[in-house]
Amino acid sequence: MLLQGKTVIVSGVGAGLGHRVAETVVRDGGNAVLGARTEANLAKSAAEIDPEGRHTALRATDITDEAQCEALAALAVERFGGIDAVVHVAAWDSYFGGLEDADFATWQGVLDVNLLGTLRMTRACLPALKEGGGSVVLIGTQSAVAAPSQVRQAAYAASKGALTSAMYSLARELGPHRIRVNTVLPGWMWGPPVQAYVQFTAHTENVPEDEVLARLTERMALPELATDGDVAEAAVFLASDRARAITGQQLLVNAGELMR
C-alpha cells in the first residue's frame, strides 16, 4: 500500500495511461483526483476504479486554463484535505511530422499543453504540496532523448524534452519545501495508442499485427513491450514515500530498448 492515505492528482485521465495511474493510486491505498477535458471519460474511469466513490473525485480540466488547474487543486484539498502528489499524464501527442512540414502554430499549441500546461498544473498544486512536502511526477517520452525511426513527432518530443529540462530547475527550487520532481520516460508502451498504431500499420501494409509488433519488440532487451500498467507502477513508486530521496531524475520504462 505505497500510497496509504495519500491524495494524488492525476491529469489526462482517459482510456490509457491516465486511467492506469489513477487505478494504481487507489489500489495502493490512495485517493485519486482525476482531471481531463472530457467529463464523461473521467466519470467512466472513476466508476471503474472506485464504484463507491470513496477514493476518487473528478473535475473537467483543461490544463491550458490556469483557473481550471486551480479548481482541480482546490477540489483535492476540499474533498481529501490536501495534495501529496501530482502525476502529469495530460499531453498533446497526436500531432505528427518533422521540421520541413511543421505548422509552427500547432507547435505552439503542443508546447502550451505539454510544457506550460504541466507547469500551470504544478503551480496550482504548490500551496497544498508545501504543507507537508510531496512529489511531482512528469510523464515524458523516450523520443525526447532518442527519436524513433518509425514515426516523427518532433513537436511532441521537443515539448517533452523542454519539460524534462525544466524538471532540474523545479527539483532545485522546490526541494527546500520537501517537494520532489522526477520524470518517467516511456518508450513504446502497449496501450490504446500503440494498439491503434499496430492495427493501422498492419492494415496499411497488409501484414499480420504480430509482424508489426515483432518489429518493435526485436529492439528490446526484454522480449515484450512495456505496458501502460508498467509505466503507472513507476509513476506511483516515484509519487510514494519509498522514493523520498529521489529527485531530479529520469526513469526509462522501455523494456530495455534504450539504456543510459
Side-chain angles (χ1 to χ4, degrees):
M1 305 295 279
L2 291 180
L3 296 175
Q4 186 67 47
K6 303 284 191 182
T7 296
V8 181
I9 287 181
V10 185
S11 73
V13 175
L17 178 58
H19 176 84
R20 292 300 175 203
V21 171
E23 178 182 59
T24 307
V25 167
V26 173
R27 182 204 69 191
D28 279 5
N31 305 308
V33 181
L34 286 56
R37 290 180 300 171
T38 306
E39 188 167 357
N41 291 343
L42 296 173
K44 183 174 185 296
S45 283
E48 293 175 4
I49 294 165
D50 180 34
E52 296 182 0
R54 296 172 56 194
H55 299 288
T56 55
L58 60 91
R59 187 183 298 277
T61 306
D62 182 343
I63 62 172
T64 65
D65 186 313
E66 194 156 4
Q68 292 187 38
C69 293
E70 291 171 352
L72 185 64
L75 173 65
V77 174
E78 176 186 340
R79 176 72 188 278
F80 298 115
I83 301 171
D84 298 289
V86 54
V87 180
H88 294 284
V89 182
W92 184 348
D93 61 358
S94 58
Y95 175 63
F96 295 87
L99 177 62
E100 286 190 316
D101 56 354
D103 173 0
F104 287 125
T106 304
W107 274 61
Q108 286 180 322
V110 172
L111 286 163
D112 193 32
V113 174
N114 297 351
L115 174 61
L116 298 179
T118 299
L119 296 178
R120 286 186 195 97
M121 191 68 245
T122 301
R123 185 164 68 177
C125 294
L126 283 184
L129 287 170
K130 286 181 178 180
E131 290 293 322
S135 176
V136 176
V137 182
L138 311 175
I139 302 298
T141 175
Q142 179 178 292
S143 65
V145 295
S149 58
Q150 293 86 356
V151 295
R152 288 187 299 164
Q153 285 183 294
Y156 177 66
S159 66
K160 290 293 191 175
L163 186 60
T164 300
S165 294
M167 173 195 71
Y168 298 114
S169 295
L170 295 178
R172 285 288 184 190
E173 178 184 352
L174 304 181
H177 301 288
R178 302 289 182 185
I179 300 171
R180 298 174 291 105
V181 189
N182 294 287
T183 301
V184 178
L185 299 178
W188 288 93
M189 179 175 62
W190 190 249
V194 173
Q195 288 173 305
Y197 167 80
V198 169
Q199 292 167 356
F200 175 79
T201 303
H203 176 75
T204 301
E205 299 181 7
N206 195 28
V207 298
E209 291 181 15
D210 286 348
E211 180 178 323
V212 179
L213 186 59
R215 296 176 200 166
L216 303 179
T217 58
E218 68 183 1
R219 298 190 304 275
M220 314 296 177
L222 300 172
E224 59 184 336
L225 297 187
T227 67
D228 286 353
D230 295 321
V231 176
E233 296 285 358
V236 164
F237 164 70
L238 290 172
S240 77
D241 290 341
R242 297 275 180 91
R244 62 181 296 274
I246 301 174
T247 195
Q249 304 301 319
Q250 303 177 65
L251 176 60
L252 283 159
V253 182
N254 63 0
E257 179 184 13
L258 173 68
M259 303 183 191
R260 301 180 74 194

